[in-house]
Amino acid sequence: MKRLWTKLVGYYRYYGVTDNTRAIRNFKDEVRRLLYKRLNRRSQKDSFNWYKYALFLKKFPLPAPRIYVSIYELRSHISYIM
């Protein structure tokens, strides 16, 4: 989970720009679905149901997506170009 946390934070920092909030939120939802699917592949029977998975995510939460770069704040720094 620590490795997944690091990968997600790196993804959010790279793609976390203004007007991309919906895309990175959808990405987090897809990662959550794929993690559930991946954790259930560990045995012949289902390891997790959605209730157990929710408890697992409370103990090991995924990082929340956020915007790291605002293009509107950058505009004042590069106003000589525009």
Side-chain angles (χ1 to χ4, degrees), residues 2 17-18 47 53 57 63 66 68 80:
K2 185 176 181 178
V17 296
T18 306
S47 301
Y53 184 61
L57 286 179
R66 61 176 230 148
Y68 285 90
Y80 61 90

Side-chain angles (χ1 to χ4, degrees), residues 7-43:
K7 300 275 185 182
L8 280 175
V9 169
Y11 183 88
Y12 296 156
R13 287 189 179 178
Y14 187 80
Y15 290 105
V17 296
T18 306
D19 295 337
N20 204 18
T21 307
R22 186 182 309 155
I24 59 176
R25 193 177 309 135
N26 290 343
F27 181 77
K28 181 188 177 190
D29 292 340
E30 190 64 29
V31 166
R32 193 176 349 176
R33 276 188 230 107
L34 289 172
L35 180 63
Y36 173 76
K37 187 175 179 180
R38 187 55 143 166
L39 290 174
N40 273 328
R41 292 186 64 172
R42 296 185 306 160
S43 67

Side-chain angles (χ1 to χ4, degrees), residues 33-76:
R33 276 188 230 107
L34 289 172
L35 180 63
Y36 173 76
K37 187 175 179 180
R38 187 55 143 166
L39 290 174
N40 273 328
R41 292 186 64 172
R42 296 185 306 160
S43 67
Q44 298 296 325
K45 60 179 186 161
D46 286 348
S47 301
F48 285 105
N49 57 21
W50 282 106
Y51 176 72
K52 286 183 184 178
Y53 184 61
L55 292 176
F56 175 79
L57 286 179
K58 276 189 177 180
K59 186 170 182 172
F60 302 104
L62 296 175
R66 61 176 230 148
I67 300 301
Y68 285 90
V69 177
S70 172
I71 61 171
Y72 301 115
E73 290 175 6
L74 290 178
R75 225 177 238 176
S76 63

